[in-house]
Amino acid sequence: MIKNNIKIIKNSFLLGIVYAIGMAVFDYVDSESFNIWKFLFNLTFFGISMGLVNRNKFKEQSK
């Protein structure tokens, strides 16, 4: 059970970072300045969302 929780947290964090970097690149292309609060919001919101979505997938794989 603990291994699954660690997998979910790692996966969520990595997906959140990739999404936040992608959004920061799009802002950079649109000539907007880097906003750390927007970056952190994207990271946490998308990371938590993906963690909730992928939780069932990891639980089914462990059975």
Side-chain angles (χ1 to χ4, degrees):
M1 185 69 172
I2 292 175
K3 285 186 178 184
N4 283 341
N5 290 340
I6 292 172
K7 262 186 174 177
I8 292 168
I9 292 170
K10 282 183 183 179
N11 190 21
S12 301
F13 184 71
L14 290 175
L15 289 172
I17 285 201
V18 170
Y19 179 77
I21 289 173
M23 291 296 106
V25 167
F26 282 126
D27 286 344
Y28 180 73
V29 170
D30 289 338
S31 301
E32 293 182 25
S33 62
F34 179 75
N35 186 352
I36 188 70
W37 298 113
K38 189 174 180 181
F39 181 83
L40 291 174
F41 174 77
N42 285 334
L43 186 142
T44 55
F45 181 73
F46 192 76
I48 290 171
S49 299
M50 289 286 76
L52 294 174
V53 169
N54 289 329
R55 181 179 57 184
N56 292 331
K57 182 181 105 174
F58 285 123
K59 283 185 181 179
E60 288 176 3
Q61 285 180 352
S62 68
K63 289 183 179 180

Tab-separated table of all heavy atoms in Angstrom:
chain	number	residue	atom	x	y	z
A	1	MET	N	0.817	-1.197	0.000
A	1	MET	CA	0.000	0.000	0.000
A	1	MET	C	0.861	1.261	0.000
A	1	MET	O	0.575	2.209	-0.709
A	1	MET	CB	-0.932	-0.039	1.211
A	1	MET	CG	-1.892	1.081	1.251
A	1	MET	SD	-3.083	0.879	-0.076
A	1	MET	CE	-4.217	2.125	0.313
A	2	ILE	N	1.924	1.244	0.797
A	2	ILE	CA	2.795	2.416	0.871
A	2	ILE	C	3.513	2.629	-0.458
A	2	ILE	O	3.675	3.762	-0.903
A	2	ILE	CB	3.795	2.276	2.040
A	2	ILE	CG1	3.033	2.335	3.357
A	2	ILE	CG2	4.847	3.363	1.979
A	2	ILE	CD1	3.870	2.091	4.573
A	3	LYS	N	3.913	1.532	-1.120
A	3	LYS	CA	4.573	1.672	-2.414
A	3	LYS	C	3.640	2.317	-3.432
A	3	LYS	O	4.078	3.123	-4.251
A	3	LYS	CB	5.038	0.311	-2.929
A	3	LYS	CG	6.259	-0.221	-2.243
A	3	LYS	CD	6.744	-1.483	-2.897
A	3	LYS	CE	8.008	-1.975	-2.228
A	3	LYS	NZ	8.560	-3.148	-2.902
A	4	ASN	N	2.369	1.961	-3.390
A	4	ASN	CA	1.410	2.568	-4.315
A	4	ASN	C	1.250	4.060	-4.040
A	4	ASN	O	1.157	4.851	-4.977
A	4	ASN	CB	0.045	1.881	-4.218
A	4	ASN	CG	0.028	0.564	-4.936
A	4	ASN	OD1	0.872	0.297	-5.774
A	4	ASN	ND2	-0.935	-0.264	-4.598
A	5	ASN	N	1.205	4.432	-2.779
A	5	ASN	CA	1.083	5.859	-2.439
A	5	ASN	C	2.294	6.641	-2.912
A	5	ASN	O	2.153	7.756	-3.423
A	5	ASN	CB	0.899	6.036	-0.937
A	5	ASN	CG	-0.453	5.555	-0.472
A	5	ASN	OD1	-1.372	5.427	-1.258
A	5	ASN	ND2	-0.565	5.282	0.815
A	6	ILE	N	3.474	6.074	-2.754
A	6	ILE	CA	4.687	6.742	-3.210
A	6	ILE	C	4.687	6.872	-4.729
A	6	ILE	O	5.063	7.915	-5.275
A	6	ILE	CB	5.938	6.000	-2.701
A	6	ILE	CG1	6.029	6.140	-1.183
A	6	ILE	CG2	7.201	6.513	-3.373
A	6	ILE	CD1	7.104	5.309	-0.540
A	7	LYS	N	4.241	5.821	-5.422
A	7	LYS	CA	4.142	5.877	-6.884
A	7	LYS	C	3.179	6.971	-7.330
A	7	LYS	O	3.463	7.714	-8.262
A	7	LYS	CB	3.631	4.538	-7.429
A	7	LYS	CG	4.640	3.605	-7.918
A	7	LYS	CD	3.923	2.413	-8.545
A	7	LYS	CE	4.877	1.478	-9.199
A	7	LYS	NZ	4.198	0.310	-9.746
A	8	ILE	N	2.057	7.058	-6.673
A	8	ILE	CA	1.046	8.063	-7.031
A	8	ILE	C	1.600	9.470	-6.810
A	8	ILE	O	1.440	10.350	-7.665
A	8	ILE	CB	-0.245	7.843	-6.216
A	8	ILE	CG1	-0.925	6.553	-6.643
A	8	ILE	CG2	-1.189	9.017	-6.370
A	8	ILE	CD1	-2.036	6.092	-5.725
A	9	ILE	N	2.272	9.694	-5.696
A	9	ILE	CA	2.825	11.015	-5.394
A	9	ILE	C	3.920	11.382	-6.391
A	9	ILE	O	3.947	12.508	-6.905
A	9	ILE	CB	3.341	11.068	-3.943
A	9	ILE	CG1	2.154	10.991	-2.976
A	9	ILE	CG2	4.169	12.317	-3.689
A	9	ILE	CD1	2.536	10.792	-1.536
A	10	LYS	N	4.829	10.450	-6.682
A	10	LYS	CA	5.894	10.730	-7.647
A	10	LYS	C	5.331	11.027	-9.024
A	10	LYS	O	5.744	11.983	-9.687
A	10	LYS	CB	6.851	9.539	-7.741
A	10	LYS	CG	7.830	9.432	-6.619
A	10	LYS	CD	8.764	8.265	-6.851
A	10	LYS	CE	9.729	8.081	-5.717
A	10	LYS	NZ	10.628	6.931	-5.931
A	11	ASN	N	4.397	10.200	-9.468
A	11	ASN	CA	3.788	10.379	-10.777
A	11	ASN	C	3.057	11.719	-10.860
A	11	ASN	O	3.175	12.447	-11.848
A	11	ASN	CB	2.839	9.224	-11.075
A	11	ASN	CG	2.361	9.218	-12.490
A	11	ASN	OD1	2.970	9.802	-13.367
A	11	ASN	ND2	1.248	8.549	-12.727
A	12	SER	N	2.316	12.056	-9.839
A	12	SER	CA	1.578	13.322	-9.817
A	12	SER	C	2.528	14.507	-9.859
A	12	SER	O	2.292	15.477	-10.589
A	12	SER	CB	0.721	13.409	-8.563
A	12	SER	OG	-0.168	12.346	-8.515
A	13	PHE	N	3.598	14.433	-9.093
A	13	PHE	CA	4.568	15.520	-9.058
A	13	PHE	C	5.246	15.703	-10.415
A	13	PHE	O	5.382	16.825	-10.910
A	13	PHE	CB	5.606	15.256	-7.970
A	13	PHE	CG	6.593	16.364	-7.795
A	13	PHE	CD1	6.207	17.563	-7.227
A	13	PHE	CD2	7.911	16.213	-8.192
A	13	PHE	CE1	7.108	18.595	-7.067
A	13	PHE	CE2	8.815	17.236	-8.035
A	13	PHE	CZ	8.417	18.432	-7.473
A	14	LEU	N	5.652	14.606	-11.036
A	14	LEU	CA	6.307	14.696	-12.338
A	14	LEU	C	5.365	15.234	-13.409
A	14	LEU	O	5.751	16.083	-14.215
A	14	LEU	CB	6.856	13.332	-12.748
A	14	LEU	CG	8.057	12.836	-11.949
A	14	LEU	CD1	8.428	11.417	-12.367
A	14	LEU	CD2	9.243	13.763	-12.120
A	15	LEU	N	4.135	14.761	-13.421
A	15	LEU	CA	3.171	15.268	-14.396
A	15	LEU	C	2.860	16.739	-14.151
A	15	LEU	O	2.704	17.514	-15.103
A	15	LEU	CB	1.891	14.439	-14.352
A	15	LEU	CG	2.001	13.018	-14.912
A	15	LEU	CD1	0.728	12.242	-14.619
A	15	LEU	CD2	2.294	13.035	-16.389
A	16	GLY	N	2.784	17.133	-12.892
A	16	GLY	CA	2.550	18.532	-12.564
A	16	GLY	C	3.688	19.421	-13.013
A	16	GLY	O	3.466	20.519	-13.538
A	17	ILE	N	4.919	18.955	-12.843
A	17	ILE	CA	6.080	19.743	-13.276
A	17	ILE	C	6.095	19.879	-14.793
A	17	ILE	O	6.342	20.969	-15.316
A	17	ILE	CB	7.386	19.101	-12.770
A	17	ILE	CG1	7.527	19.371	-11.300
A	17	ILE	CG2	8.584	19.613	-13.543
A	17	ILE	CD1	8.901	19.264	-10.735
A	18	VAL	N	5.840	18.791	-15.497
A	18	VAL	CA	5.830	18.850	-16.963
A	18	VAL	C	4.758	19.820	-17.451
A	18	VAL	O	5.007	20.641	-18.346
A	18	VAL	CB	5.621	17.437	-17.558
A	18	VAL	CG1	5.356	17.505	-19.045
A	18	VAL	CG2	6.831	16.563	-17.272
A	19	TYR	N	3.582	19.747	-16.872
A	19	TYR	CA	2.495	20.652	-17.265
A	19	TYR	C	2.847	22.112	-16.962
A	19	TYR	O	2.644	22.996	-17.800
A	19	TYR	CB	1.205	20.261	-16.548
A	19	TYR	CG	0.045	21.153	-16.877
A	19	TYR	CD1	-0.637	21.022	-18.076
A	19	TYR	CD2	-0.376	22.140	-15.994
A	19	TYR	CE1	-1.708	21.848	-18.382
A	19	TYR	CE2	-1.431	22.973	-16.291
A	19	TYR	CZ	-2.101	22.816	-17.483
A	19	TYR	OH	-3.149	23.636	-17.792
A	20	ALA	N	3.385	22.370	-15.781
A	20	ALA	CA	3.725	23.744	-15.390
A	20	ALA	C	4.831	24.310	-16.275
A	20	ALA	O	4.780	25.481	-16.665
A	20	ALA	CB	4.144	23.779	-13.921
A	21	ILE	N	5.817	23.491	-16.626
A	21	ILE	CA	6.874	23.951	-17.530
A	21	ILE	C	6.298	24.248	-18.903
A	21	ILE	O	6.639	25.251	-19.534
A	21	ILE	CB	8.016	22.913	-17.604
A	21	ILE	CG1	8.793	22.899	-16.293
A	21	ILE	CG2	8.945	23.211	-18.778
A	21	ILE	CD1	9.821	21.796	-16.190
A	22	GLY	N	5.402	23.380	-19.376
A	22	GLY	CA	4.750	23.628	-20.663
A	22	GLY	C	3.978	24.931	-20.676
A	22	GLY	O	4.048	25.701	-21.633
A	23	MET	N	3.247	25.204	-19.626
A	23	MET	CA	2.494	26.456	-19.551
A	23	MET	C	3.434	27.661	-19.448
A	23	MET	O	3.160	28.720	-20.027
A	23	MET	CB	1.542	26.442	-18.351
A	23	MET	CG	0.397	25.462	-18.487
A	23	MET	SD	-0.707	25.880	-19.840
A	23	MET	CE	-0.289	24.648	-21.044
A	24	ALA	N	4.563	27.509	-18.747
A	24	ALA	CA	5.535	28.604	-18.653
A	24	ALA	C	6.164	28.875	-20.021
A	24	ALA	O	6.411	30.033	-20.369
A	24	ALA	CB	6.611	28.263	-17.625
A	25	VAL	N	6.401	27.821	-20.798
A	25	VAL	CA	6.954	28.006	-22.146
A	25	VAL	C	5.949	28.743	-23.025
A	25	VAL	O	6.325	29.646	-23.784
A	25	VAL	CB	7.351	26.643	-22.763
A	25	VAL	CG1	7.634	26.770	-24.253
A	25	VAL	CG2	8.557	26.067	-22.040
A	26	PHE	N	4.677	28.379	-22.943
A	26	PHE	CA	3.666	29.090	-23.725
A	26	PHE	C	3.581	30.564	-23.315
A	26	PHE	O	3.404	31.438	-24.170
A	26	PHE	CB	2.296	28.438	-23.583
A	26	PHE	CG	2.136	27.198	-24.416
A	26	PHE	CD1	1.736	26.014	-23.826
A	26	PHE	CD2	2.379	27.212	-25.773
A	26	PHE	CE1	1.583	24.869	-24.584
A	26	PHE	CE2	2.226	26.079	-26.543
A	26	PHE	CZ	1.833	24.900	-25.949
A	27	ASP	N	3.701	30.846	-22.030
A	27	ASP	CA	3.712	32.245	-21.583
A	27	ASP	C	4.936	32.974	-22.120
A	27	ASP	O	4.856	34.134	-22.524
A	27	ASP	CB	3.683	32.328	-20.060
A	27	ASP	CG	2.329	31.983	-19.481
A	27	ASP	OD1	1.344	31.976	-20.249
A	27	ASP	OD2	2.259	31.709	-18.267
A	28	TYR	N	6.080	32.297	-22.134
A	28	TYR	CA	7.304	32.899	-22.645
A	28	TYR	C	7.178	33.215	-24.134
A	28	TYR	O	7.609	34.273	-24.595
A	28	TYR	CB	8.482	31.963	-22.399
A	28	TYR	CG	9.801	32.493	-22.893
A	28	TYR	CD1	10.449	33.522	-22.228
A	28	TYR	CD2	10.405	31.964	-24.035
A	28	TYR	CE1	11.656	34.019	-22.672
A	28	TYR	CE2	11.603	32.454	-24.494
A	28	TYR	CZ	12.230	33.473	-23.807
A	28	TYR	OH	13.406	33.965	-24.269
A	29	VAL	N	6.570	32.297	-24.888
A	29	VAL	CA	6.371	32.515	-26.323
A	29	VAL	C	5.433	33.699	-26.558
A	29	VAL	O	5.607	34.454	-27.519
A	29	VAL	CB	5.828	31.228	-26.988
A	29	VAL	CG1	5.375	31.475	-28.415
A	29	VAL	CG2	6.876	30.129	-26.958
A	30	ASP	N	4.454	33.886	-25.700
A	30	ASP	CA	3.520	35.007	-25.819
A	30	ASP	C	4.090	36.303	-25.237
A	30	ASP	O	3.372	37.283	-25.078
A	30	ASP	CB	2.202	34.695	-25.104
A	30	ASP	CG	1.393	33.642	-25.826
A	30	ASP	OD1	1.621	33.459	-27.042
A	30	ASP	OD2	0.525	33.024	-25.186
A	31	SER	N	5.365	36.308	-24.902
A	31	SER	CA	6.088	37.470	-24.372
A	31	SER	C	5.573	37.932	-23.010
A	31	SER	O	5.634	39.106	-22.678
A	31	SER	CB	6.043	38.641	-25.357
A	31	SER	OG	6.621	38.273	-26.577
A	32	GLU	N	5.058	37.007	-22.224
A	32	GLU	CA	4.666	37.328	-20.851
A	32	GLU	C	5.825	36.994	-19.918
A	32	GLU	O	6.615	36.095	-20.186
A	32	GLU	CB	3.436	36.525	-20.440
A	32	GLU	CG	2.176	36.899	-21.195
A	32	GLU	CD	0.970	36.115	-20.718
A	32	GLU	OE1	0.969	35.657	-19.564
A	32	GLU	OE2	0.044	35.967	-21.515
A	33	SER	N	5.918	37.708	-18.818
A	33	SER	CA	6.985	37.438	-17.860
A	33	SER	C	6.650	36.187	-17.047
A	33	SER	O	5.495	35.797	-16.920
A	33	SER	CB	7.180	38.631	-16.931
A	33	SER	OG	6.006	38.858	-16.195
A	34	PHE	N	7.701	35.588	-16.485
A	34	PHE	CA	7.523	34.388	-15.675
A	34	PHE	C	6.878	34.764	-14.348
A	34	PHE	O	7.330	35.682	-13.664
A	34	PHE	CB	8.874	33.713	-15.433
A	34	PHE	CG	8.784	32.475	-14.593
A	34	PHE	CD1	8.286	31.310	-15.113
A	34	PHE	CD2	9.192	32.496	-13.272
A	34	PHE	CE1	8.201	30.166	-14.348
A	34	PHE	CE2	9.107	31.366	-12.490
A	34	PHE	CZ	8.617	30.192	-13.033
A	35	ASN	N	5.837	34.050	-13.987
A	35	ASN	CA	5.130	34.301	-12.735
A	35	ASN	C	5.209	33.037	-11.886
A	35	ASN	O	4.628	32.003	-12.236
A	35	ASN	CB	3.675	34.671	-13.031
A	35	ASN	CG	2.929	35.091	-11.795
A	35	ASN	OD1	3.428	34.974	-10.687
A	35	ASN	ND2	1.719	35.580	-11.997
A	36	ILE	N	5.932	33.128	-10.779
A	36	ILE	CA	6.151	31.951	-9.929
A	36	ILE	C	4.848	31.435	-9.335
A	36	ILE	O	4.652	30.234	-9.197
A	36	ILE	CB	7.192	32.240	-8.822
A	36	ILE	CG1	7.570	30.964	-8.059
A	36	ILE	CG2	6.680	33.280	-7.853
A	36	ILE	CD1	8.364	30.003	-8.846
A	37	TRP	N	3.920	32.335	-9.006
A	37	TRP	CA	2.654	31.906	-8.397
A	37	TRP	C	1.801	31.143	-9.403
A	37	TRP	O	1.147	30.161	-9.050
A	37	TRP	CB	1.898	33.097	-7.832
A	37	TRP	CG	2.680	33.767	-6.759
A	37	TRP	CD1	3.231	35.009	-6.802
A	37	TRP	CD2	3.061	33.204	-5.494
A	37	TRP	NE1	3.917	35.254	-5.638
A	37	TRP	CE2	3.824	34.165	-4.818
A	37	TRP	CE3	2.815	31.979	-4.877
A	37	TRP	CZ2	4.349	33.940	-3.564
A	37	TRP	CZ3	3.341	31.764	-3.613
A	37	TRP	CH2	4.092	32.728	-2.964
A	38	LYS	N	1.813	31.585	-10.644
A	38	LYS	CA	1.077	30.874	-11.697
A	38	LYS	C	1.702	29.499	-11.927
A	38	LYS	O	0.999	28.508	-12.111
A	38	LYS	CB	1.102	31.707	-12.977
A	38	LYS	CG	0.223	31.195	-14.064
A	38	LYS	CD	0.219	32.186	-15.228
A	38	LYS	CE	-0.660	31.708	-16.345
A	38	LYS	NZ	-0.645	32.642	-17.480
A	39	PHE	N	3.040	29.448	-11.908
A	39	PHE	CA	3.756	28.186	-12.078
A	39	PHE	C	3.404	27.211	-10.959
A	39	PHE	O	3.095	26.049	-11.205
A	39	PHE	CB	5.262	28.449	-12.111
A	39	PHE	CG	6.097	27.213	-12.318
A	39	PHE	CD1	6.310	26.728	-13.591
A	39	PHE	CD2	6.662	26.555	-11.239
A	39	PHE	CE1	7.085	25.595	-13.786
A	39	PHE	CE2	7.428	25.429	-11.421
A	39	PHE	CZ	7.647	24.949	-12.703
A	40	LEU	N	3.444	27.688	-9.711
A	40	LEU	CA	3.129	26.824	-8.569
A	40	LEU	C	1.665	26.378	-8.577
A	40	LEU	O	1.358	25.238	-8.221
A	40	LEU	CB	3.466	27.539	-7.261
A	40	LEU	CG	4.950	27.762	-6.999
A	40	LEU	CD1	5.144	28.604	-5.751
A	40	LEU	CD2	5.684	26.446	-6.893
A	41	PHE	N	0.772	27.272	-8.985
A	41	PHE	CA	-0.633	26.895	-9.079
A	41	PHE	C	-0.824	25.799	-10.123
A	41	PHE	O	-1.512	24.808	-9.869
A	41	PHE	CB	-1.502	28.106	-9.435
A	41	PHE	CG	-2.935	27.742	-9.676
A	41	PHE	CD1	-3.775	27.477	-8.610
A	41	PHE	CD2	-3.436	27.638	-10.966
A	41	PHE	CE1	-5.097	27.123	-8.822
A	41	PHE	CE2	-4.754	27.289	-11.192
A	41	PHE	CZ	-5.589	27.028	-10.116
A	42	ASN	N	-0.214	25.970	-11.296
A	42	ASN	CA	-0.319	24.950	-12.343
A	42	ASN	C	0.249	23.619	-11.869
A	42	ASN	O	-0.338	22.562	-12.103
A	42	ASN	CB	0.396	25.397	-13.621
A	42	ASN	CG	-0.370	26.434	-14.387
A	42	ASN	OD1	-1.587	26.525	-14.306
A	42	ASN	ND2	0.343	27.243	-15.137
A	43	LEU	N	1.388	23.669	-11.201
A	43	LEU	CA	2.020	22.449	-10.710
A	43	LEU	C	1.125	21.728	-9.709
A	43	LEU	O	0.873	20.531	-9.841
A	43	LEU	CB	3.364	22.788	-10.062
A	43	LEU	CG	4.218	21.617	-9.635
A	43	LEU	CD1	5.680	21.942	-9.904
A	43	LEU	CD2	4.042	21.311	-8.166
A	44	THR	N	0.620	22.441	-8.722
A	44	THR	CA	-0.163	21.780	-7.681
A	44	THR	C	-1.542	21.353	-8.186
A	44	THR	O	-1.975	20.228	-7.916
A	44	THR	CB	-0.334	22.689	-6.454
A	44	THR	OG1	-0.890	23.930	-6.855
A	44	THR	CG2	0.978	22.921	-5.758
A	45	PHE	N	-2.219	22.222	-8.923
A	45	PHE	CA	-3.561	21.884	-9.383
A	45	PHE	C	-3.537	20.696	-10.332
A	45	PHE	O	-4.305	19.748	-10.178
A	45	PHE	CB	-4.210	23.095	-10.063
A	45	PHE	CG	-5.603	22.822	-10.553
A	45	PHE	CD1	-6.645	22.711	-9.658
A	45	PHE	CD2	-5.856	22.654	-11.899
A	45	PHE	CE1	-7.936	22.445	-10.095
A	45	PHE	CE2	-7.129	22.388	-12.349
A	45	PHE	CZ	-8.171	22.287	-11.448
A	46	PHE	N	-2.660	20.725	-11.322
A	46	PHE	CA	-2.590	19.628	-12.279
A	46	PHE	C	-2.039	18.373	-11.611
A	46	PHE	O	-2.495	17.261	-11.895
A	46	PHE	CB	-1.726	20.015	-13.484
A	46	PHE	CG	-1.842	19.053	-14.625
A	46	PHE	CD1	-2.952	19.065	-15.440
A	46	PHE	CD2	-0.840	18.139	-14.883
A	46	PHE	CE1	-3.070	18.179	-16.491
A	46	PHE	CE2	-0.942	17.253	-15.928
A	46	PHE	CZ	-2.063	17.273	-16.742
A	47	GLY	N	-1.066	18.516	-10.727
A	47	GLY	CA	-0.500	17.362	-10.037
A	47	GLY	C	-1.531	16.647	-9.173
A	47	GLY	O	-1.637	15.422	-9.204
A	48	ILE	N	-2.309	17.403	-8.430
A	48	ILE	CA	-3.352	16.799	-7.587
A	48	ILE	C	-4.423	16.149	-8.460
A	48	ILE	O	-4.880	15.039	-8.169
A	48	ILE	CB	-3.954	17.845	-6.634
A	48	ILE	CG1	-2.928	18.222	-5.569
A	48	ILE	CG2	-5.228	17.320	-5.981
A	48	ILE	CD1	-3.328	19.398	-4.711
A	49	SER	N	-4.795	16.826	-9.535
A	49	SER	CA	-5.808	16.270	-10.434
A	49	SER	C	-5.343	14.950	-11.035
A	49	SER	O	-6.096	13.972	-11.078
A	49	SER	CB	-6.128	17.249	-11.564
A	49	SER	OG	-6.626	18.449	-11.046
A	50	MET	N	-4.111	14.900	-11.499
A	50	MET	CA	-3.586	13.670	-12.093
A	50	MET	C	-3.424	12.577	-11.036
A	50	MET	O	-3.601	11.400	-11.336
A	50	MET	CB	-2.258	13.930	-12.795
A	50	MET	CG	-2.382	14.724	-14.065
A	50	MET	SD	-3.050	13.862	-15.488
A	50	MET	CE	-4.755	13.734	-15.268
A	51	GLY	N	-3.090	12.958	-9.829
A	51	GLY	CA	-2.988	11.971	-8.756
A	51	GLY	C	-4.325	11.315	-8.474
A	51	GLY	O	-4.410	10.098	-8.287
A	52	LEU	N	-5.377	12.108	-8.466
A	52	LEU	CA	-6.714	11.547	-8.238
A	52	LEU	C	-7.164	10.668	-9.402
A	52	LEU	O	-7.793	9.631	-9.201
A	52	LEU	CB	-7.715	12.676	-8.011
A	52	LEU	CG	-7.511	13.485	-6.731
A	52	LEU	CD1	-8.468	14.673	-6.701
A	52	LEU	CD2	-7.698	12.616	-5.508
A	53	VAL	N	-6.824	11.069	-10.615
A	53	VAL	CA	-7.214	10.284	-11.786
A	53	VAL	C	-6.429	8.978	-11.856
A	53	VAL	O	-6.998	7.913	-12.135
A	53	VAL	CB	-6.991	11.113	-13.078
A	53	VAL	CG1	-7.116	10.248	-14.310
A	53	VAL	CG2	-7.978	12.264	-13.137
A	54	ASN	N	-5.140	9.036	-11.590
A	54	ASN	CA	-4.289	7.852	-11.720
A	54	ASN	C	-4.332	6.930	-10.509
A	54	ASN	O	-3.799	5.825	-10.567
A	54	ASN	CB	-2.843	8.270	-11.985
A	54	ASN	CG	-2.675	8.828	-13.370
A	54	ASN	OD1	-3.376	8.441	-14.294
A	54	ASN	ND2	-1.739	9.733	-13.523
A	55	ARG	N	-4.957	7.352	-9.443
A	55	ARG	CA	-5.026	6.537	-8.230
A	55	ARG	C	-5.686	5.189	-8.498
A	55	ARG	O	-5.181	4.147	-8.079
A	55	ARG	CB	-5.784	7.294	-7.146
A	55	ARG	CG	-5.904	6.553	-5.846
A	55	ARG	CD	-6.632	7.367	-4.836
A	55	ARG	NE	-7.949	7.732	-5.379
A	55	ARG	CZ	-8.807	8.518	-4.768
A	55	ARG	NH1	-8.487	9.051	-3.622
A	55	ARG	NH2	-9.977	8.784	-5.297
A	56	ASN	N	-6.772	5.204	-9.241
A	56	ASN	CA	-7.464	3.947	-9.549
A	56	ASN	C	-6.629	3.046	-10.436
A	56	ASN	O	-6.645	1.821	-10.273
A	56	ASN	CB	-8.802	4.239	-10.214
A	56	ASN	CG	-9.775	4.896	-9.267
A	56	ASN	OD1	-9.718	4.694	-8.074
A	56	ASN	ND2	-10.665	5.709	-9.822
A	57	LYS	N	-5.877	3.621	-11.358
A	57	LYS	CA	-5.037	2.834	-12.243
A	57	LYS	C	-3.972	2.081	-11.440
A	57	LYS	O	-3.749	0.881	-11.650
A	57	LYS	CB	-4.362	3.729	-13.280
A	57	LYS	CG	-3.500	2.976	-14.270
A	57	LYS	CD	-2.861	3.928	-15.239
A	57	LYS	CE	-1.419	4.065	-14.847
A	57	LYS	NZ	-0.605	4.843	-15.747
A	58	PHE	N	-3.329	2.758	-10.509
A	58	PHE	CA	-2.290	2.113	-9.713
A	58	PHE	C	-2.889	1.069	-8.759
A	58	PHE	O	-2.262	0.052	-8.487
A	58	PHE	CB	-1.493	3.146	-8.928
A	58	PHE	CG	-0.532	3.929	-9.788
A	58	PHE	CD1	-0.603	5.296	-9.840
A	58	PHE	CD2	0.423	3.287	-10.551
A	58	PHE	CE1	0.265	6.027	-10.627
A	58	PHE	CE2	1.301	4.001	-11.341
A	58	PHE	CZ	1.222	5.377	-11.378
A	59	LYS	N	-4.075	1.313	-8.253
A	59	LYS	CA	-4.709	0.329	-7.378
A	59	LYS	C	-5.070	-0.942	-8.132
A	59	LYS	O	-4.909	-2.043	-7.624
A	59	LYS	CB	-5.968	0.931	-6.735
A	59	LYS	CG	-5.662	1.869	-5.611
A	59	LYS	CD	-6.927	2.330	-4.940
A	59	LYS	CE	-6.628	3.294	-3.807
A	59	LYS	NZ	-7.844	3.764	-3.155
A	60	GLU	N	-5.545	-0.799	-9.372
A	60	GLU	CA	-5.895	-1.969	-10.178
A	60	GLU	C	-4.656	-2.761	-10.575
A	60	GLU	O	-4.696	-3.983	-10.628
A	60	GLU	CB	-6.637	-1.545	-11.425
A	60	GLU	CG	-8.054	-1.073	-11.151
A	60	GLU	CD	-8.766	-0.551	-12.389
A	60	GLU	OE1	-8.171	-0.607	-13.493
A	60	GLU	OE2	-9.896	-0.083	-12.243
A	61	GLN	N	-3.552	-2.086	-10.841
A	61	GLN	CA	-2.307	-2.771	-11.211
A	61	GLN	C	-1.733	-3.569	-10.056
A	61	GLN	O	-1.081	-4.582	-10.269
A	61	GLN	CB	-1.272	-1.774	-11.711
A	61	GLN	CG	-1.530	-1.257	-13.086
A	61	GLN	CD	-0.464	-0.262	-13.514
A	61	GLN	OE1	0.385	0.157	-12.730
A	61	GLN	NE2	-0.517	0.133	-14.770
A	62	SER	N	-1.961	-3.135	-8.840
A	62	SER	CA	-1.386	-3.822	-7.690
A	62	SER	C	-2.135	-5.094	-7.319
A	62	SER	O	-1.605	-5.916	-6.585
A	62	SER	CB	-1.334	-2.885	-6.485
A	62	SER	OG	-2.651	-2.588	-6.039
A	63	LYS	N	-3.334	-5.247	-7.829
A	63	LYS	CA	-4.113	-6.460	-7.494
A	63	LYS	C	-3.684	-7.657	-8.276
A	63	LYS	O	-3.119	-7.724	-9.233
A	63	LYS	CB	-5.600	-6.203	-7.746
A	63	LYS	CG	-6.191	-5.260	-6.742
A	63	LYS	CD	-7.649	-5.088	-6.972
A	63	LYS	CE	-8.223	-4.143	-5.936
A	63	LYS	NZ	-9.634	-3.934	-6.110
